Amino acid sequence: MFPEFEVVPAVDMQDGEVVQLVQGERGTEKSYGEPVEAARRWVDAGAKTLHLVDLDGAFEGDRKNAPAVDAVLDAVDVPLQLGGGIRTVEDARDLLDRGVDRVILGTAAVENPDIVAELAEDYPDGVMVSLDAKDGEVVVSGWTEGTGLDPAEAAARYEELGAAAILFTDVDVEGQLEGVHLDTTSRVVDAVDIPVVASGGVASLADIRALRDAGAAATVVGTALYEGRFTLEAALDA
C-alpha cells in the first residue's frame, strides 16, 4: 500500500453527485458533476488510487450513494478506498468482497474498536481507520460529535488492533483552500508505523510537498483539484 507518496483525488458523493464541503458542514457543498465522470477524469490524469466518500452515509448512516459506488467500481481499474456509512462488519465485508480495496471506518471504529480487529483477521490490508480532528479532538458522525480522543493516541491504538492505514483529516482546514496545518498530522505520523494518509486544507503544490516531507504516505485532495488550483499531473510531479 502506497509504495511511494501518492496524491489521491477525492470523489465525495451526496445525492448521487460529486460535491465538496467546507469544514464538513452540510449546506456548504458545491457540486462538481457525476461520480463516474469524475473518477474516469482522475484516472485518465494519472491517479493510482481513488478516495470515495458517501457523505449521506457519513451523516445519516444510510449509504444512499451505493449505486454510484457500484458504477465507479465498474468504470475504473485502480484501487478504491471507500468511507461513509459503513457501520457493521457485514457492510464492510460486502464492500471488500465486491471489489473495494479498503474500507474506511470512522464512527464504527470509535464506537466499536473490535470491528477493526475482526475485519483485519480476514482482510489484513483492507481496513483504514479514519480519524477526523477538530480543535485537536477526534470527531465522528459526519464531524458533528466530539469523542474526547487524542488523534495520535487513537492512531496507535488502531494500529495495535490491525488497521492497515490511518486516514487523518484536519477538519479545521478542510475545504477552505487556506493551506495545511502540520502539527497534529506530524504527531499522528510519528505515533504509528503504518501508512498515514493526510487530508484537509491542501491548496497548493507546496502543501503537498510539506505533507510528504512530514512523513505522510499519501494525501487526499479534493477542492483544490476541482477548483483548478493545480492539475493532478502537476501534483503527481510535485
Side-chain angles (χ1 to χ4, degrees), residues 7-154:
V7 177
V8 182
V11 182
D12 296 353
M13 295 165 285
Q14 181 174 285
D15 295 326
E17 292 189 339
V18 177
V19 302
Q20 289 288 291
L21 307 180
V22 177
Q23 290 188 294
E25 294 184 7
R26 299 190 97 170
T28 65
E29 62 269 10
K30 183 174 180 180
S31 179
Y32 295 95
E34 195 269 333
V36 167
E37 179 181 334
R40 284 177 172 157
R41 171 188 173 188
W42 300 131
V43 171
D44 288 346
K48 297 179 180 179
T49 304
L50 291 179
H51 177 82
L52 311 182
V53 179
D54 185 332
L55 290 170
D56 296 296
F59 283 105
E60 301 166 13
D62 182 10
R63 294 186 50 249
K64 293 181 179 179
N65 295 284
V69 171
D70 289 339
V72 172
L73 275 168
D74 291 338
V76 299
D77 189 22
V78 298
L80 302 178
Q81 55 193 47
L82 171 68
I86 305 170
R87 298 288 193 258
T88 67
V89 170
E90 292 73 21
D91 286 344
R93 287 183 184 277
D94 176 62
L95 290 164
L96 290 163
D97 290 341
R98 281 161 52 200
V100 171
D101 293 86
R102 292 182 287 279
V103 292
I104 304 168
L105 303 179
T107 301
V110 172
E111 293 180 346
N112 177 24
D114 289 340
I115 192 175
V116 176
E118 185 173 349
L119 285 167
E121 286 187 11
D122 294 327
Y123 306 92
D125 296 320
V127 181
M128 174 180 280
V129 172
S130 174
L131 298 175
D132 307 329
K134 183 183 290 187
D135 296 326
E137 175 188 16
V138 175
V139 291
V140 295
S141 298
W143 303 339
T144 61
E145 298 179 13
T147 64
L149 296 174
D150 174 81
E153 293 175 2

Side-chain angles (χ1 to χ4, degrees), residues 198-238:
S199 177
V202 172
S204 67
L205 298 179
D207 289 330
I208 291 173
R209 287 189 286 266
L211 290 169
R212 178 199 62 196
D213 293 345
T219 181
V220 173
V221 183
T223 303
L225 285 174
Y226 288 101
E227 288 292 312
R229 289 294 184 97
F230 48 78
T231 65
L232 180 58
E233 292 91 338
L236 294 171
D237 288 342

